[in-house]
Amino acid sequence: MTDLEFILQQAINAISLGSLYAMVAVGLSMVFGILRMTNFAHGDMMMAGSYATVLLTVAGLPFGVAVVCGVGVSVLVGVLAERIAYRPVRGAPDVTLLLTSLALTYVLENLAILIFSSSPRAMPLPDWMGEVYSFSDGAITFTGIDLCATVLALCSLLGLGWFVTRTTTGLGMRAAAEDMAATALVGLNLNRLIVTAFAIASGFAGLAGVLWAAQSGVVDPGMGFSPLLKAFVAAIVGGFGSIAGAVMGGYLLGALEILIVGFGPPEISPYRDAIVFALLILFLLFRPGGLMRPNREIKL
Amino acid sequence: MSRRLVLMLGGACLLALAGWGLPMVVSDYGQRLLIMGCISVILVASMGLANGFTGVFSLGQVGFVAIGAYVSGILSLSVADKAAYLPDLPAFLAGVQMGTVPATLLAGAVCAGVAVIVGLPLMRLSGHHVSVATMGFMIIVNSVIVNAESFTRGARTFTGVPTDITLPVALIWMVITLALLGRLIYSPIGLALRSVREDTIAAQAVGLSVLKTRLLAFTVGAFFAGVGGSLYGHYLGSFSAQTFFFPLMVSLIIMLVLGGMGSLSGAVVGVVVVTALSEILRNLERGMDLGFVVVPPLFGASQVVLGLLFILVMIYRPRGLLEDRELTSFGRKG
């Protein structure tokens, strides 16, 4: 394997991983932008969507249809969460919002354990997804899942970009992120905007969840947790509340992780979580607004 | 004799009586619950110092609990066990074997030291940023514990810690912790802590150093978190990195917030209420025969109910059951 081939292979891995992080981080960032809420329950939308997909596939639905319905279930759970848990505490201090979402994760995860048991369940995949494409004598390979994740992420993120810049609802969501009271004053329906934001965020999480489960081959009640933590880092590195920043942060984080594993000395690769979170702390201290909003002040 | 001294002597007598008498009347299971309760009170109260009184909501306290448990575990493991379980330990640690009390105090001191280093940068942050950053600290601690094989056995269970935490011992540690924290909180320093929480800018304007005040609370909290962690380790005997991670953090937070973050007795109330509720719910989830209908066992249902309850508290009583009051202040005016 030549150096160039090795680098290309790592680049493919980084893009595939980064696509997933970006999709999760975008939803986190959208919700934060409007409500100033750190949504811990976001990872459980991934879990809900992928469980629904698995169950529907096992029940005999074609895979594509099952995925669409699964993402629908994520959207439903997200909207219900907003309506039942988050709306009553809207406007409360930061910490109350954060604790509410932490409690909701606790509820959803244990509910999933109650219903599906805590043991992982295999994810049935169509053949084309597991297929391995290999180039230059197997030095560069990627699977149908990698391809699918990258294409889906790019299409959906571009679609989101169009939505928030060209449609009235999308513009309204951005207005609400700037100034909630003024948005309500000019006559936009705040509740509807927030529900839409949650629906979109949860949809992205559901899609990312299905792809994440496809990569690992299994679903389990705690599966959303590790990608959620990474998405936190991605969203903060990009600038919490900025959609473009979240996408950028997601790909950067994917690249960083692959860099550590692929190119770093072997002793440090088990520490990659520690390195990633050290990066998060550094960003919070020195560039609290992230890459996109470097001038926002949050320190004393 | 002043009224205060009488109260203190009376309390000490009661405590001695309880410590001597309780193990005779309470079942083994009840004793386990009480010991766990005492340790939880130490942990929750230590968390309350930073989170409730200074308003810097740290999600990283469990990181200190983990450090405390491991440091104290390494210090008090017998030399023979060390050779068997931790063969790669550096020489200055391999030959050491301490009793539980010095090991616990040292563990607390180590945690306080780490807290100063970590807190110096982190205590500058506010709001949810500090929560996310301290959560990052906890994850880093976890990652280091899992990977530092020669000190911690990595992801495998750390075992062989002498289990010498009996009910009287746990009670004494809890009372000392509460007394010291109470001293601190209801002193001029405590007033500074609260003023930093209520209005950062005004506190700065009257000459308080916000960073120093927050750092003090964070460090003292970390010390007691380390002490609690050490006791927890000595109670369990064996533990792993997973013991001190998100599930423990969530359950401690539920106790803290339910009882009321701005109150020391809130920690006790939170622990008692959550422990009692979990016990009741856990018995219910085993399923039962109501005569006309048989309820099937629903394992895990107790956590769901506890979580839902917590959401309700957030909606209807976000400052907890006791809010800022202490149990001792209910009879008084003002």
Side-chain angles (χ1 to χ4, degrees):
Chain A
M1 196 192 298
T2 64
D3 280 353
L4 183 66
E5 282 165 345
F6 181 67
I7 293 172
L8 270 175
Q9 176 67 57
Q10 299 303 333
I12 291 173
N13 295 348
I15 291 173
S16 163
L17 185 64
S19 298
L20 291 179
Y21 287 160
M23 280 201 279
V24 185
V26 152
L28 216 51
S29 213
M30 276 171 73
V31 168
F32 181 85
I34 299 180
L35 292 178
R36 299 280 173 271
M37 181 177 78
T38 320
N39 188 7
F40 275 94
H42 196 62
D44 298 304
M45 309 304 155
M46 295 177 70
M47 183 263 294
S50 39
Y51 260 104
T53 306
V54 169
L55 292 182
L56 290 171
T57 317
V58 172
L61 249 61
F63 188 72
V65 181
V67 171
V68 173
C69 295
V71 172
V73 168
S74 282
V75 171
L76 190 71
V77 175
V79 168
L80 281 177
E82 194 279 329
R83 187 67 199 86
I84 295 167
Y86 296 152
R87 197 175 293 183
V89 292
R90 197 187 292 166
D94 271 9
V95 171
T96 310
L97 295 175
L98 184 139
L99 290 175
T100 310
S101 77
L102 204 60
L104 193 64
T105 322
Y106 193 65
V107 170
L108 289 176
E109 224 159 273
N110 282 298
L111 209 58
I113 292 175
L114 195 62
I115 301 172
F116 306 115
S117 98
S118 57
S119 47
R121 198 179 278 232
M123 172 114 186
L125 285 178
D127 293 336
W128 62 267
M129 264 190 129
E131 199 173 324
V132 179
Y133 302 88
S134 103
F135 296 92
S136 55
D137 299 329
I140 300 177
T141 58
F142 57 87
T143 61
I145 304 166
D146 292 325
L147 194 66
C148 199
T150 311
V151 172
L152 276 177
L154 285 180
C155 293
S156 57
L157 291 171
L158 284 175
L160 180 68
W162 172 83
F163 178 79
V164 295
T165 49
R166 294 278 180 274
T167 64
T168 319
T169 317
L171 285 171
M173 274 164 45
R174 283 166 65 209
E178 286 295 325
D179 190 332
M180 202 132 82
T183 312
L185 274 177
V186 297
L188 286 167
N189 185 341
L190 214 50
N191 280 336
R192 222 186 58 200
L193 290 177
I194 292 173
V195 167
T196 316
F198 265 95
I200 295 174
S202 309
F204 267 97
L207 192 58
V210 172
L211 291 165
W212 188 271
Q215 292 274 27
S216 65
V218 288
V219 290
D220 69 273
M223 63 171 273
F225 189 64
S226 148
L228 173 80
L229 292 180
K230 299 295 172 55
F232 267 136
V233 182
I236 285 171
V237 167
F240 230 162
S242 148
I243 288 173
V247 175
M248 221 160 71
Y251 282 106
L252 266 178
L253 194 64
L256 179 74
E257 263 191 51
I258 298 295
L259 213 64
I260 295 171
V261 177
F263 297 89
E267 309 88 70
I268 70 161
S269 83
Y271 283 101
R272 66 176 181 279
D273 278 8
I275 297 172
V276 165
F277 280 92
L279 179 79
L280 163 96
I281 292 174
L282 286 180
F283 258 87
L284 282 174
L285 287 172
F286 298 110
R287 272 209 117 125
L291 294 169
M292 298 301 277
R293 297 177 174 176
N295 295 324
R296 254 180 50 199
E297 236 352 277
I298 55 159
K299 277 198 265 181
L300 287 176
Chain B
M1 243 189 319
S2 70
R3 194 166 157 260
R4 213 191 149 99
L5 200 61
V6 174
L7 266 176
M8 271 174 67
L9 282 177
C13 290
L14 265 179
L15 189 69
L17 196 68
W20 171 77
L22 269 178
M24 298 186 188
V25 285
V26 184
S27 67
D28 273 1
Y29 180 68
Q31 276 195 47
R32 273 206 298 278
L33 270 186
L34 283 174
I35 294 175
M36 246 345 272
C38 290
I39 297 174
S40 301
V41 167
I42 296 177
L43 296 179
V44 173
S46 79
M47 239 173 138
L49 186 64
N51 295 15
F53 285 93
T54 48
V56 177
F57 203 92
S58 153
L59 294 178
Q61 217 71 3
V62 171
F64 293 118
V65 180
I67 296 177
Y70 273 94
V71 167
S72 164
I74 292 172
L75 288 176
S76 56
L77 213 59
S78 72
V79 176
D81 278 350
K82 265 184 201 151
Y85 297 133
L86 303 165
D88 301 327
L89 213 58
F92 74 98
L93 284 174
V96 180
Q97 185 186 345
M98 288 184 191
T100 304
V101 175
T104 300
L105 292 176
L106 256 175
V110 169
C111 287
V114 175
V116 173
I117 298 166
V118 173
L120 261 175
L122 291 194
M123 288 300 112
R124 292 166 193 280
L125 301 168
S126 299
H128 81 107
H129 293 94
V130 80
S131 311
V132 174
T134 44
M135 185 186 79
F137 164 71
M138 177 180 77
I139 292 166
I140 292 173
V141 169
N142 185 268
S143 170
V144 170
I145 288 177
V146 170
N147 289 302
E149 293 246 355
S150 51
F151 290 93
T152 62
R153 308 192 80 214
R156 287 172 300 167
T157 308
F158 190 95
T159 188
V161 183
T163 50
D164 45 10
I165 302 299
T166 55
L167 186 51
V169 175
L171 261 177
I172 290 169
W173 279 104
M174 179 184 80
V175 171
I176 294 175
T177 304
L178 286 179
L180 290 177
L181 286 178
R183 257 327 268 202
L184 182 72
I185 285 166
Y186 296 102
S187 72
I189 297 173
L191 216 53
L193 297 182
R194 268 164 286 165
S195 61
V196 164
R197 172 188 69 192
E198 293 302 326
D199 194 331
T200 318
I201 296 170
Q204 262 173 333
V206 296
L208 278 174
S209 163
V210 175
L211 179 61
K212 266 190 206 152
T213 316
R214 284 180 177 179
L215 193 59
L216 177 79
F218 190 65
T219 309
V220 176
F223 176 83
F224 286 106
V227 166
S230 161
L231 298 178
Y232 196 22
H234 281 276
Y235 167 64
L236 293 173
S238 48
F239 44 81
S240 73
Q242 278 318 102
T243 316
F244 309 102
F245 211 37
F246 276 86
L248 180 63
M249 175 192 99
V250 174
S251 67
L252 289 179
I253 285 181
I254 291 181
M255 290 172 183
L256 172 71
V257 178
L258 201 75
M261 279 195 278
S263 149
L264 200 55
S265 21
V268 183
V269 171
V271 171
V272 170
V273 169
V274 171
T275 308
L277 263 178
S278 321
E279 282 310 303
I280 295 169
L281 290 168
R282 209 167 291 155
N283 281 318
L284 287 181
E285 78 181 7
R286 292 208 187 102
M288 64 196 114
D289 192 346
L290 291 177
F292 53 95
V293 62
V294 177
V295 183
L298 291 167
F299 295 110
S302 63
Q303 276 100 323
V304 176
V305 175
L306 210 59
L308 287 174
L309 204 77
F310 187 68
I311 295 180
L312 286 179
V313 170
M314 284 289 95
I315 296 174
Y316 295 106
R317 215 177 158 91
R319 293 172 68 205
L321 293 174
L322 292 188
E323 303 195 326
D324 283 353
R325 283 167 299 182
E326 296 291 350
L327 283 176
T328 48
S329 69
F330 273 97
R332 286 182 218 153
K333 278 181 190 164

